[in-house]
Amino acid sequence: MQRHEFLARVRELGEYNSQEEAEKVTEAVLRVLAQRISPGEVDDLASQLPGPLGQFLSEVKPQQAESFGIEEFHRRVAEGTGARPRTAQWDACAVLTTVAMAVSGGELNQILSQLPSSYATLFGKPELAE
């Protein structure tokens, strides 16, 4: 999947008005995801995302993963986009569902294995949630 295809899918799923809005939301969500998964997994994910998005993810990679729940995930996305947490949940779903489409099944499983099952719905995989 190319960068423009990735952002077009985010824009479609999130019903955003512009490619720029989709890009802003994508970067905010990827930044928070990078905080939540291990640095090695960030690298693995970055290698499967379109060039500039993978590079962005590598640049924001923290030294170690933080442990926080889904509400905190939404709060941090909201902080990054200037939206309310409920809107941030919508944003996270649009981006992470696109991530799930863009990466291999093995990579998606690796990401999900590092997150509580409640995160599965953000990736468009509600059947994996508790």
Side-chain angles (χ1 to χ4, degrees), residues 7-53:
L7 293 175
R9 174 60 74 175
V10 170
R11 183 177 177 185
E12 178 185 329
L13 292 174
E15 301 175 6
Y16 303 114
N17 294 322
S18 69
Q19 198 83 342
E20 292 76 25
E21 185 179 8
E23 184 170 22
K24 176 185 174 190
V25 167
T26 297
E27 289 183 356
V29 172
L30 290 178
R31 181 183 309 274
V32 177
L33 180 62
Q35 295 168 357
R36 186 60 181 81
I37 60 177
S38 72
E41 201 55 52
V42 172
D43 289 336
D44 291 347
L45 175 58
S47 74
Q48 292 196 26
L49 291 179
L53 295 176

Side-chain angles (χ1 to χ4, degrees), residues 32-85:
V32 177
L33 180 62
Q35 295 168 357
R36 186 60 181 81
I37 60 177
S38 72
E41 201 55 52
V42 172
D43 289 336
D44 291 347
L45 175 58
S47 74
Q48 292 196 26
L49 291 179
L53 295 176
Q55 184 177 354
F56 169 79
L57 200 53
S58 294
E59 290 170 2
V60 300
K61 177 179 67 174
Q63 295 289 341
Q64 64 182 29
E66 295 180 50
S67 181
F68 51 85
I70 198 163
E71 282 77 25
E72 177 65 9
F73 190 95
H74 296 149
R75 190 195 69 71
R76 290 181 185 202
V77 170
E79 189 176 274
T81 61
R84 296 189 330 244

Side-chain angles (χ1 to χ4, degrees), residues 1-2 5-6 9 26 30 33 37 41-51 53-54 57 94-113 115 122-125:
M1 184 180 285
Q2 299 294 319
E5 294 169 316
F6 188 99
R9 174 60 74 175
T26 297
L30 290 178
L33 180 62
I37 60 177
E41 201 55 52
V42 172
D43 289 336
D44 291 347
L45 175 58
S47 74
Q48 292 196 26
L49 291 179
L53 295 176
L57 200 53
V95 174
L96 296 178
T97 297
T98 304
V99 166
M101 291 180 215
V103 302
S104 70
E107 178 57 25
L108 181 60
N109 288 338
Q110 288 294 320
I111 294 167
L112 290 173
S113 73
L115 301 169
L122 296 178
F123 289 85
K125 304 291 182 189

